[in-house]
Amino acid sequence: MIRALYVKWENSPGIVSFATKASDVSDIPFPAITICPEVKSQISRFNFTDAYHKHKASKLDKTSLNTFITMWQICDLGTGIDHAIRLYDNHCIRTLRDLAVPKPSLLKQCSWGRQPLNCSQEFHTTVTDQGICYTFNSLALSHLLRVGEVHPDFLIDGGLDNPPRRASTSGKKTSLVVVLQTNQNDLDYLCGSCIQGYKVQLHTPTDYPSLSNYIQVPLDQEVSVEVIPHLALTTDSIRHYNPKRRNCFFQEERKLRFFSVYSQANCELECLSNYTVKLCGCTRFSMPRARLVPVCGVGAMRCYQMAEYSLLRMDIYGDRLTFKDGCQCMPACSTLQYDAEISQADFDWHHMKQFELDRMERIHLSYLIVYFKEPEFIAIKRSELYGDTEFLANCGGLLGLFLGVSLLSFAEILYYCTLKPFVLWWNWRRSR
């Protein structure tokens, strides 16, 4: 039993419990919100469907062909394009930016706590695997990324230098409201999916967005997102343990090359970028990279997709040492995550007075509102399960219970092993 107690103390020095007191939502930042339109380019700048058919007929000029090949990477049409010779595309991000729907055309109205916001100032441009997206309430990219390490393409829009916003309470009184606009003429069902609209991701302000999971906001719909935060904290009593024993990193213990702030999501994105460089000699346009690392082109699509798939499969290798093990992407000791409950309804904006000037135009409007569901939440606390003192006390208790061992027992053992033989020898010698 003592051995079992030692194994438990060695492998699980911490215990997870609920905090004894509820936390207010004003104690944590409001989630960062990244919005990615399904429309990847304005039709006036580039018509992907038209270019696709011209390409099939070999009627594309050189400039349009270069743009078409770049757009292929975000239009999710597979790797079947016959321009596999283009392994690198270092102008990819610049091309995507030039074609993307600009913020003023996409973000029609914004408000925070029923006060109007300047959408173009509050949302900064972000490069993700969905192309060009716009993020609210994130750290400025100059603070989130290491400026001297990461390629300047990722610092295209620094955003505001203000700290992340916080909501004073729950409910719609302290919510973010965004009215999103899409021009009917810009809809391109070949480049994208059959569900037109927007992909929205909630994440912490210190995480770089990666659209692995998202909320779908369709056209002409109202989507309400009730946010449920999950906060996990770690006490200082467990800090002296090795990070592998407590299974988490404090901020000062793990430094990333491209990110100023450690989080498991940032670490995994950097790990994927490094693995892709190792496997393909380049990175996907949406991955942070060093200044001299090229961007993968269409010819390397199969390679970087295989790199991502291979990295995901490394978790099933068990005890075998893998590249992912070297990344050491354990959770941060203090983590914040957001769950969401979603409701959706028709957004009948045509009958609203504030949009009466838009009725004659061929546009679609969508309504997104995000707010905390409850004013308080219960955090999770990770603390020390067994300290050195508690471990010794438990060992002593087990010995006393099963062997009758105590300090007096040790004194008796010492007496019978040392003094008792000496006394017997002395008495025998005197009796002679």
Side-chain angles (χ1 to χ4, degrees):
M1 290 190 69
I2 292 178
R3 182 179 180 278
L5 182 66
Y6 174 78
V7 171
K8 184 176 181 180
W9 175 66
E10 179 69 22
N11 295 335
S12 304
I15 184 173
V16 177
S17 59
F18 289 105
T20 57
K21 183 180 178 182
S23 300
D24 196 271
V25 292
S26 61
D27 297 334
I28 59 173
F30 195 76
I33 299 169
T34 296
I35 301 175
C36 301
E38 292 286 359
V39 172
K40 308 303 181 185
S41 66
Q42 288 185 304
I43 207 75
S44 58
R45 300 182 180 183
F46 187 74
N47 188 329
F48 183 83
T49 299
D50 182 62
Y52 178 83
H53 293 298
K54 287 183 178 179
H55 171 68
K56 287 290 186 181
S58 301
K59 295 181 179 180
L60 271 183
D61 59 81
K62 185 176 180 181
T63 302
S64 298
L65 178 61
N66 290 334
T67 304
F68 174 74
I69 293 173
T70 297
M71 289 289 293
W72 188 277
Q73 292 198 63
I74 62 171
C75 288
D76 197 20
L77 294 177
T79 57
I81 193 170
D82 56 355
H83 289 275
I85 194 173
R86 177 165 296 186
L87 295 178
Y88 306 128
D89 189 354
N90 290 323
H91 300 293
C92 179
I93 293 180
R94 186 184 310 168
T95 302
L96 295 178
R97 282 193 65 198
D98 292 341
L99 299 179
V101 180
K103 284 187 282 187
S105 300
L106 177 73
L107 306 168
K108 186 173 182 63
Q109 287 185 7
C110 303
S111 66
W112 169 260
R114 297 182 177 176
Q115 297 297 318
L117 291 178
N118 185 322
C119 299
S120 297
Q121 289 184 359
E122 295 291 337
F123 283 81
H124 67 255
T125 307
T126 311
V127 182
T128 74
D129 55 358
Q130 297 295 317
I132 301 300
C133 302
Y134 304 106
T135 302
F136 169 81
N137 206 43
S138 174
L139 284 183
L141 293 178
S142 57
H143 296 323
L144 179 59
L145 300 170
R146 296 191 187 276
V147 178
E149 292 287 345
V150 75
H151 196 281
D153 281 351
F154 281 82
L155 303 172
I156 51 179
D157 185 357
L160 295 178
D161 248 351
N162 303 330
R165 293 177 179 269
R166 299 184 178 220
S168 57
T169 185
S170 61
K172 297 184 178 181
K173 292 181 179 179
T174 52
S175 62
L176 171 72
V177 174
V178 185
V179 178
L180 301 162
Q181 176 177 282
T182 298
N183 194 312
Q184 172 69 27
N185 295 327
D186 290 336
L187 297 181
D188 193 330
Y189 291 91
L190 186 60
C191 183
S193 67
C194 59
I195 304 176
Q196 290 293 322
Y198 314 88
K199 293 176 180 177
V200 178
Q201 184 187 43
L202 307 185
H203 55 94
T204 59
T206 56
D207 282 353
Y208 194 85
S210 176
L211 275 289
S212 55
N213 53 73
Y214 55 85
I215 299 167
Q216 190 78 43
V217 180
L219 301 178
D220 300 313
Q221 293 285 303
E222 174 191 353
V223 176
S224 297
V225 181
E226 295 181 327
V227 180
I228 304 170
H230 297 283
L231 178 64
L233 302 172
T234 301
T235 61
D236 284 336
S237 63
I238 205 173
R239 184 184 288 268
H240 65 279
Y241 289 99
N242 184 282
K244 289 186 177 180
R245 288 187 64 189
R246 59 173 131 89
N247 195 37
C248 70
F249 283 120
F250 286 97
Q251 280 295 326
E252 67 276 7
E253 292 178 329
R254 181 75 170 90
K255 302 297 182 183
L256 299 176
R257 180 182 181 185
F258 300 129
F259 295 97
S260 301
V261 181
Y262 179 81
S263 71
Q264 189 174 29
N266 291 343
C267 180
E268 289 177 346
L269 182 58
E270 183 171 304
C271 179
L272 176 59
S273 177
N274 293 335
Y275 186 64
T276 306
V277 172
K278 179 181 177 180
L279 208 64
C280 310
C282 58
T283 63
R284 191 177 183 182
F285 69 90
S286 58
M287 300 175 188
R289 66 186 191 279
R291 293 173 179 267
L292 299 180
V293 174
V295 178
C296 295
V298 172
M301 278 184 67
R302 191 181 302 276
C303 182
Y304 69 65
Q305 290 173 356
M306 183 59 65
E308 183 174 4
Y309 176 70
S310 299
L311 200 63
L312 291 174
R313 288 184 68 247
M314 287 181 183
D315 288 332
I316 68 175
Y317 288 166
D319 296 333
R320 180 179 170 186
L321 189 63
T322 64
F323 183 91
K324 195 169 185 179
D325 296 323
C327 294
Q328 297 184 350
C329 292
M330 290 190 295
C333 289
S334 295
T335 60
L336 177 61
Q337 295 179 331
Y338 304 97
D339 283 344
E341 293 183 0
I342 305 165
S343 59
Q344 183 175 321
D346 292 334
F347 182 38
D348 200 3
W349 58 272
H350 298 85
H351 300 289
M352 299 176 68
K353 184 175 179 60
Q354 64 196 85
F355 300 124
E356 60 184 356
L357 297 179
D358 300 313
R359 294 175 190 169
M360 303 302 295
E361 300 183 21
R362 298 185 64 193
I363 65 171
H364 299 275
L365 297 182
S366 301
Y367 185 92
L368 174 67
I369 180 170
V370 184
Y371 53 90
F372 283 116
K373 181 179 181 180
E374 301 290 346
E376 294 181 334
F377 63 96
I378 302 294
I380 294 175
K381 183 175 65 174
R382 184 191 289 113
S383 55
E384 190 176 39
L385 175 61
Y386 287 121
D388 296 339
T389 304
E390 290 82 0
F391 175 69
L392 291 175
N394 281 322
C395 289
L398 288 173
L399 288 172
L401 177 63
F402 291 102
L403 301 177
V405 176
S406 65
L407 288 177
L408 290 177
S409 301
F410 284 111
E412 290 177 354
I413 292 172
L414 181 65
Y415 169 74
Y416 280 107
C417 290
T418 57
L419 292 178
K420 183 66 175 178
F422 177 76
V423 171
L424 291 175
W425 174 80
W426 181 259
N427 291 335
W428 173 79
R429 184 178 179 182
R430 288 183 61 184
S431 65
R432 290 183 62 182

